[in-house]
């Protein structure tokens, strides 16, 4: 069984930065892609950022472009999300996702991922 464990969330002020981490553990698997989604109270779960494991290609939601950066460390089976210039509207539960299934996919497709973490809370005060 594969587990994704997120860390790094917290309470910060607007303009601050946070770095989220996610490590994959359990059964070894070949990662096709990993990414981050977030869900604010009463709202749908939204795509934030994704990265293709082999090439390092990335994609971002328009709302975070230029502020957030996704990166990976294959040796550590980890993905990271550097979040700068945080805004109150970034407040949400952030989920790490991973895809093992081969074949093409779109980062934004919530159903493209085989594994989900439990989430880490990010709260940005104004």
């Amino acid at each position: 069984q594969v587990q994704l464990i997120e860390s790094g969330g917290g309470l910060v002020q607007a303009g601050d930065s946070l770095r989220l981490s996610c490590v994959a553990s359990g059964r070894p698997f070949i990662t096709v892609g990993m990414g981050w989604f977030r869900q604010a109270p009463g709202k749908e779960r939204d795509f934030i950022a994704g990265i293709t494991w082999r090439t390092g290609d990335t994609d971002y939601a328009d709302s975070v472009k230029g502020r957030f950066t996704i990166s990976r460390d294959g040796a550590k089976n980890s993905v990271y999300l550097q979040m700068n210039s945080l805004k109150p509207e970034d407040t949400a539960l952030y989920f790490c996702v991973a895809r093992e299934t081969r074949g093409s996919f779109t980062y934004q497709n919530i159903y493209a991922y085989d594994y989900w973490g439990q989430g880490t809370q990010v709260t940005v005060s104004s």
Side-chain angles (χ1 to χ4, degrees):
Q1 188 173 357
V2 173
Q3 288 184 318
L4 302 180
I5 302 172
E6 304 102 332
S7 62
L11 172 62
V12 297
Q13 293 186 331
D16 286 350
S17 299
L18 277 177
R19 185 177 188 240
L20 304 184
S21 300
C22 171
V23 59
S25 64
R27 174 180 64 79
F29 68 103
I30 297 175
T31 310
V32 172
M34 294 188 75
W36 294 90
F37 282 71
R38 71 185 182 189
Q39 186 169 22
K43 295 188 177 181
E44 295 184 349
R45 199 167 290 190
D46 293 328
F47 165 77
I48 295 301
I51 186 165
T52 300
W53 212 249
R54 184 178 62 84
T55 63
D57 291 343
T58 60
D59 196 18
Y60 298 90
D62 288 342
S63 59
V64 305
K65 279 182 181 177
R67 299 188 298 125
F68 291 10
T69 303
I70 188 171
S71 60
R72 73 197 191 299
D73 185 332
K76 296 181 178 180
N77 290 328
S78 295
V79 67
Y80 308 96
L81 187 68
Q82 178 65 42
M83 306 186 295
N84 298 329
S85 302
L86 283 162
K87 304 175 181 179
E89 51 263 43
D90 294 318
T91 295
L93 188 62
Y94 283 70
F95 296 91
C96 174
V97 295
R99 176 179 171 92
E100 182 181 19
T101 303
R102 295 184 180 182
S104 62
F105 71 103
T106 56
Y107 297 113
Q108 297 83 356
N109 182 0
I110 196 170
Y111 301 106
Y113 300 94
D114 302 293
Y115 309 108
W116 287 73
Q118 293 298 308
T120 184
Q121 179 67 37
V122 172
T123 303
V124 184
S125 64
S126 57

